[in-house]
Amino acid sequence: MVILQLWMVFIKPTYFYPYLLLTFLPYQLLPGPLFLLFAMHFLGWEGKIQKRKFWLFVPFWIFMVVYLWMKLDVVINEIPYKVAYHKYFSVFKVEEVITLSYAFILALWCYGIVRSFERQNRDKKYDQVVSHTGWIKRVLGMGLGLCILWLISFLFDAVSIYNWGNYAYLPTWFGFSTLIIYIGYTGFRQTDILKERHALNQFSKSKTFDPEFAPMEKEDPSTLKHFQKIEVLMRVEKKYLNPHLDLPLLAEEISISPNYLSKVINSHAHMHFNDYLNSYRVAHAKEMLETEAFRQYDMLSIALEAGFNSKSAFYAAFKKLTGQTPGSYRSQCEKHHES
């Protein structure tokens, strides 16, 4: 409704169909509170406002009453559109200032809740926390950027010697239209991915994923004990699920230098560190792709749950280590199940 009203104001169909004015309500005061409540629910945040949600919508209800009063005036007194607009022009401007200020306050409030959630979950896997908060922070960043653009449009329209009218707000309206669509799409998709990752995580907890390495003719006993420690970290503790695991971090875990760790892996796994790490992630992903219950799951959910930080990294590593894409591997497994 916000998008519809924005473009109705610009295109002005109300000049030809005045009754459309009856559909105009202060919907622009709703996305902020609704997104804040959604973020609270999504992050499982509990606070006093959860029990007093009504207060978040007080500005909306106040201007709802004002809008209804203006509509009654227009309908009862049969005031033309242009006359009504100029009569209540100051009301619209006050509403715009309040809406803009309220949007800033709610965005900063929401950002504070996100930061609080991240601090409280420092002990959890980094990718699990980011999957919750990353997209919310992106939306908040875009929203604050658009609020600044809105403020610039407002000031430009107020001080400009030219009568720009609604044209001054065109970039802002286009931006908010895009943002609202993005919020809806991303919110639903992230919720689905979260549910899928929870099911995948439960499935993987009791399993051990073993990649295939080329056998050695003769193992080096001096490096074998270190390689066995690495294997315990990978097979038992599943360190590969950390998407930010790198050579120095793993070397620190077993108290050896990164160069020596690289030598150990090369000697016993016959591959570089990145391929060794991704071989575990790919083995983990293959197990999920082979499971019929996860046939319709999003590839991004599987990629993140296997330790990759993006779908593109997952596809590149899977193709390199298996010679086929995750999609073709899944199709191959489906055909095997059907036969």
Side-chain angles (χ1 to χ4, degrees), residues 265-321:
I265 292 174
N266 284 331
S267 298
H268 292 272
H270 294 289
M271 57 179 66
H272 296 297
F273 171 76
N274 285 336
D275 288 339
Y276 172 74
L277 181 61
N278 285 335
S279 65
Y280 272 96
R281 292 171 176 168
V282 168
H284 194 130
K286 285 170 71 175
E287 189 75 23
M288 292 184 284
L289 291 169
E290 291 167 6
T291 304
E292 193 170 0
F294 306 139
R295 184 175 295 179
Q296 302 301 323
Y297 277 29
D298 195 297
M299 284 295 182
L300 179 59
S301 301
I302 291 174
L304 295 175
E305 198 57 36
F308 292 97
N309 56 16
S310 68
K311 187 189 286 188
S312 59
F314 171 49
Y315 271 70
F318 199 97
K319 176 74 173 178
K320 180 179 181 180
L321 295 172

Side-chain angles (χ1 to χ4, degrees), residues 119-137:
R119 287 192 295 269
Q120 292 171 5
N121 290 274
R122 285 177 178 172
D123 57 326
K124 294 185 178 180
K125 289 193 303 181
Y126 179 83
D127 66 309
Q128 288 182 335
V129 177
V130 170
S131 68
H132 280 66
T133 62
W135 73 274
I136 295 178
K137 288 195 288 189

Side-chain angles (χ1 to χ4, degrees), residues 106-120:
L106 292 179
L108 294 174
W109 188 0
C110 189
Y111 182 77
I113 290 172
V114 170
R115 293 293 297 146
S116 175
F117 175 84
E118 291 178 335
R119 287 192 295 269
Q120 292 171 5

Side-chain angles (χ1 to χ4, degrees), residues 3 60 79 83 95 109 131-132 142 144 160 165 170 174 182 202 248 257 265 316 333:
I3 295 172
F60 170 76
I79 301 176
V83 175
E95 179 203 14
W109 188 0
S131 68
H132 280 66
M142 293 166 62
L144 284 172
S160 176
L170 192 57
F174 183 79
Y182 174 78
Q202 295 300 313
S257 71
I265 292 174
C333 294

Side-chain angles (χ1 to χ4, degrees), residues 222-293:
S222 65
T223 59
L224 180 59
K225 64 177 183 179
H226 288 115
F227 185 69
Q228 288 172 340
K229 288 182 181 179
I230 297 169
E231 287 286 87
V232 170
L233 290 175
M234 292 295 178
R235 295 173 189 268
V236 180
E237 298 186 27
K238 299 179 181 177
K239 293 291 184 180
Y240 61 87
L241 293 178
N242 177 3
H244 300 280
L245 182 66
D246 55 15
L247 197 63
L249 188 59
L250 185 59
E252 187 179 341
E253 288 275 349
I254 53 178
S255 302
I256 61 176
S257 71
N259 288 337
Y260 186 67
L261 173 60
S262 179
K263 177 186 174 182
V264 171
I265 292 174
N266 284 331
S267 298
H268 292 272
H270 294 289
M271 57 179 66
H272 296 297
F273 171 76
N274 285 336
D275 288 339
Y276 172 74
L277 181 61
N278 285 335
S279 65
Y280 272 96
R281 292 171 176 168
V282 168
H284 194 130
K286 285 170 71 175
E287 189 75 23
M288 292 184 284
L289 291 169
E290 291 167 6
T291 304
E292 193 170 0

